[in-house]
């Protein structure tokens, strides 16, 4: 076979792969329907999945990490939490079915859009639960809008500048020279032939491992444009965490951190432990052997963190007289109860 023929075959294969990428992206978008509502905001439409209804407990707003969407927080957490309250799982801007605004990599821009969408759903004071990158946006949210955020639950949070660099695929996906070709070739083929197996492997041992790929619509994150935005989020994160991490002492609301000892994506000593030290009112639940996807492998621990935060918020809302009465009844519960029955 001549060199010219080899080059012609190679060119045809590359061209066919790029064409396949466009066709696949369109097919993924068309066959996936939004699970919630598309809420208009100043930064475009934001997709919000609504569960439960307003009740005595504050609403919970959920912010997902990279390379996924709001359904990631919905399948193992939102449905249980929704038994007692309103739960809103949001697609961060540029992910899932949410539009990507200009400068959408900036966490303050993402938070402003999500806040507007959440308020349109009737939630004005709420708890924010964020996982990984979503935890970083939750921290921005608490600092930017303290009048809205009553408490934070941060799951495997990324919060501080970290040693080392980024994963190679994030750098490649965001490269201004060859990033487009990388997304339209390698990522397109990986999305079709390798993604499902990779997802199942990353969630090994979790209840959601067998159904996560389909229920969360994982292929959405590997469309060329959305992959670029995920990569951009990661590549522009470090520069935002440098000034942000100096402000955690200003957070004057209760927070709970849930982190795993075996999380190789977001290291516990670099992020979770530092958050506990720097946020004035912050609890830390360390899961021995836990990895990065704790909201799937240990959803009960995340739920317990929300419950602890609820109790702390309830105590903070009590008047001094009510607190004193509850303390007395806790010491002498049977005697007081019997007197009340007698009267």
């Amino acid at each position: 076979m001549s060199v010219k023929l080899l080059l012609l075959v190679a060119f045809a294969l590359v061209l066919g792969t790029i064409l396949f990428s466009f066709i696949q992206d369109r097919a993924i978008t068309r066959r996936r329907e939004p699970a919630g509502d598309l809420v208009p905001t100043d930064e475009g439409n934001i997709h919000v999945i609504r569960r439960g209804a307003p009740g005595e407990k504050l609403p919970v707003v959920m912010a997902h990490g990279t390379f996924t969407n709001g359904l990631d927080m919905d399948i193992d957490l939102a449905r249980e939490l929704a038994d007692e309250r309103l739960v809103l799982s949001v697609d961060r801007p540029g992910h899932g079915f949410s539009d990507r605004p200009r400068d959408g990599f900036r966490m303050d821009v993402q938070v402003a859009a999500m806040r507007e969408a959440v308020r349109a759903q009737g939630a004005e004071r709420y708890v924010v639960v964020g996982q990984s990158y979503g935890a970083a946006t939750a921290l921005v949210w608490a600092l930017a809008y303290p009048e809205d955020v009553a408490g934070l639950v941060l799951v495997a949070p990324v919060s501080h500048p970290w040693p080392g660099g980024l994963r190679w695929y994030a750098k490649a996906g965001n490269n201004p020279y060859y990033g487009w070709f990388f997304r339209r070739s390698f990522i397109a083929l990986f999305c079709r032939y390798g993604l499902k197996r990779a997802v199942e492997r990353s969630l090994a041992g979790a209840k959601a491992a067998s159904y996560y790929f389909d229920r969360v619509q994982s292929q959405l994150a590997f469309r060329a444009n959305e992959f670029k935005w995920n990569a951009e989020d990661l590549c522009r994160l470090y520069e935002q965490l440098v000034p942000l991490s100096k402000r955690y002492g200003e957070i004057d609301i209760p927070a709970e951190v849930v982190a795993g000892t075996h999380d190789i994506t977001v290291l516990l000593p670099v992020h979770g432990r530092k958050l506990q030290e720097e946020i004035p009112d912050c609890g830390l639940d360390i899961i021995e052997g836990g990895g990065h996807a704790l909201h799937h492998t240990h959803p009960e621990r995340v739920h317990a963190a929300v419950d602890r935060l609820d109790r702390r918020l309830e105590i903070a809302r009590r008047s001094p007289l009510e607190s004193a009465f509850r303390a007395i009844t806790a010491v002498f519960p049977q005697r007081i109860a019997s007197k009340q029955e007698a009267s």
Side-chain angles (χ1 to χ4, degrees):
M1 186 178 293
S2 67
V3 175
K4 289 185 178 180
L5 183 57
L6 284 173
L7 291 174
L8 184 62
V9 170
F11 178 77
L13 288 174
V14 169
L15 192 62
T17 302
I18 292 172
L19 180 60
F20 166 77
S21 171
F22 280 99
I23 295 172
Q24 177 177 248
D25 282 5
R26 180 174 295 185
I28 290 171
T29 303
R30 284 182 172 178
R31 69 171 176 259
R32 305 296 185 182
E33 295 292 334
D37 300 321
L38 295 177
V39 182
T41 73
D42 290 341
E43 304 294 347
N45 289 332
I46 298 297
H47 181 223
V48 181
I49 304 167
R50 185 184 181 101
R51 304 286 184 197
E56 293 184 3
K57 295 185 177 181
L58 287 173
V60 165
V61 176
M62 294 189 159
H64 63 86
T66 52
F67 295 104
T68 187
N69 56 68
L71 286 167
D72 173 69
M73 303 296 288
D74 179 69
I75 60 173
D76 280 334
L77 284 178
R79 295 171 189 273
E80 289 190 11
L81 291 173
D83 290 339
E84 303 176 306
R85 69 217 307 163
L86 174 65
V87 181
L88 302 174
S89 301
V90 187
D91 284 357
R92 291 189 295 104
H95 307 288
F97 292 94
S98 291
D99 293 337
R100 182 74 163 187
R102 184 178 181 182
D103 292 335
F105 68 89
R106 288 173 41 186
M107 289 191 288
D108 60 328
V109 172
Q110 293 192 23
V111 166
M114 291 190 289
R115 176 187 183 244
E116 187 178 349
V118 163
R119 290 178 74 86
Q121 293 286 309
E124 297 185 353
R125 184 76 171 162
Y126 39 80
V127 170
V128 180
V129 178
Q131 192 267 341
S132 191
Y133 186 103
T137 63
L139 290 161
V140 172
W141 208 323
L143 287 165
Y145 305 103
E147 69 277 13
D148 290 9
V149 183
L152 295 171
V153 176
L154 309 171
V155 184
V158 56
S159 56
H160 290 75
W162 63 89
L166 290 166
R167 299 290 176 89
W168 66 271
Y169 52 80
K171 292 180 180 180
N174 194 52
N175 188 281
Y177 301 107
Y178 58 79
W180 184 89
F181 178 73
F182 174 76
R183 298 188 300 270
R184 287 294 178 189
S185 56
F186 179 85
I187 292 304
L189 294 174
F190 175 75
C191 178
R192 175 64 180 87
Y193 298 107
L195 179 59
K196 185 174 184 179
R197 184 177 300 176
V199 167
E200 292 172 351
R201 187 165 55 246
S202 68
L203 291 173
K207 182 181 70 172
S210 62
Y211 56 79
Y212 184 95
F213 178 82
D214 291 320
R215 290 272 294 278
V216 178
Q217 305 177 14
S218 296
Q219 288 180 310
L220 290 171
F222 287 78
R223 295 171 296 176
N225 286 336
E226 187 167 342
F227 190 91
K228 176 186 177 182
W229 296 329
N230 273 294
E232 186 180 40
D233 284 351
L234 288 173
C235 290
R236 304 299 297 271
L237 177 60
Y238 189 102
E239 67 193 60
Q240 297 178 77
L241 290 180
V242 172
L244 179 67
S245 60
K246 298 176 182 178
R247 298 187 58 199
Y248 295 149
E250 302 173 25
I251 297 177
D252 61 355
I253 56 174
E256 289 283 342
V257 174
V258 183
T261 59
H262 288 48
D263 187 345
I264 61 174
T265 303
V266 178
L267 302 178
L268 172 60
V270 177
H271 304 276
R273 289 194 184 278
K274 285 188 177 180
L275 279 175
Q276 185 194 29
E277 295 170 359
E278 295 171 11
I279 296 178
D281 186 9
C282 184
L284 174 60
D285 179 19
I286 299 175
I287 300 178
E288 189 65 35
H292 192 57
L294 298 174
H295 53 314
H296 297 302
T297 58
H298 298 80
E300 72 287 350
R301 299 285 282 268
V302 180
H303 199 157
V306 176
D307 290 340
R308 288 195 301 273
L309 193 68
D310 283 339
R311 290 193 292 269
R312 292 163 67 186
L313 291 171
E314 182 183 355
I315 291 170
R317 287 196 299 266
R318 294 176 191 163
S319 66
L321 183 61
E322 182 183 2
S323 297
F325 178 75
R326 285 177 178 263
I328 293 171
T329 57
V331 177
F332 307 106
Q334 293 181 348
R335 184 177 298 177
I336 292 176
S338 61
K339 286 183 177 181
Q340 290 176 341
E341 290 176 1
S343 62

